[in-house]
Amino acid sequence: MNIWVDADACPVAIKEIIFKAADRTQTPTSLFANHSMRVPPSKFISFVRVQSGFDVADDEIVKRVAEGDLVITQDIPLAAEVIDKGCVALSPRGELYTTSNIRSRLNMRDFMDTMRASGVQTGGPPPLNQADKQNFANHLDRILTANKRT
């Protein structure tokens, strides 16, 4: 299993959790973003800077993933694509995207895009809190532990 991180919008606190887990479990982890970012020196963690542009990082992740890999993203369309390829998708808030919930998430995302395009102020998600960080860390640990057993 490899971990692929859509890092442009991934909160720093979540990246720190990912870095620790990657080293602890010796899981190859790659972060993708269109701007430079700091990653700790580790033989298990790499950073790939992609060109600026709409969905460039997402497209690069989709090209590289393999069945059974873990993708960390809050991008619903990216999550849907990697689930279709047999990957596990986890949001930075610890929400596990699955074949049974991804279509409804896509529908809601599209509905909210339509609302915003018509001028409705929808606001954004609430700030990341301690419960979100704990939920993410717990899901990540379960996924990596299950992978080490297989």
Side-chain angles (χ1 to χ4, degrees):
M1 167 192 276
N2 290 307
I3 300 173
W4 307 92
V5 182
D6 182 8
D8 279 323
C10 188
V12 172
I14 298 304
K15 285 186 255 190
E16 293 299 326
I17 293 168
I18 295 166
F19 297 153
K20 289 176 186 171
D23 274 332
R24 185 182 75 248
T25 61
Q26 300 181 351
T27 305
T29 300
S30 299
L31 288 83
F32 291 78
N34 61 19
H35 62 278
S36 295
M37 65 179 55
R38 181 197 67 77
V39 295
S42 168
K43 65 182 182 179
F44 302 107
I45 301 169
S46 63
F47 172 72
V48 177
R49 184 173 180 178
V50 298
Q51 292 181 346
S52 292
F54 188 70
D55 288 341
V56 175
D58 299 357
D59 294 343
E60 194 61 34
I61 291 170
V62 170
K63 278 196 274 187
R64 296 180 186 215
V65 296
E67 186 175 345
D69 284 349
L70 170 62
V71 176
I72 298 169
T73 185
Q74 55 191 359
D75 185 284
I76 306 294
L78 173 58
E81 282 191 76
V82 300
I83 287 170
D84 286 345
K85 290 184 86 172
C87 299
V88 176
L90 181 64
S91 84
R93 293 182 182 270
E95 179 183 8
L96 190 62
Y97 301 117
T98 65
T99 55
S100 62
N101 71 17
I102 195 65
R103 297 296 162 223
S104 65
R105 300 283 189 265
L106 277 169
N107 290 338
M108 181 55 76
R109 175 197 171 274
D110 292 344
F111 172 74
M112 295 304 284
D113 277 351
T114 302
M115 296 292 289
R116 284 188 289 274
S118 68
V120 175
Q121 297 292 328
T122 59
L128 192 71
N129 61 37
Q130 189 58 39
D132 295 328
K133 294 178 213 174
Q134 189 64 51
N135 189 34
F136 175 82
N138 289 342
H139 266 102
L140 180 61
D141 188 56
R142 279 192 290 266
I143 292 165
L144 294 175
T145 300
N147 179 65
K148 292 299 176 189
R149 281 191 227 140
T150 58

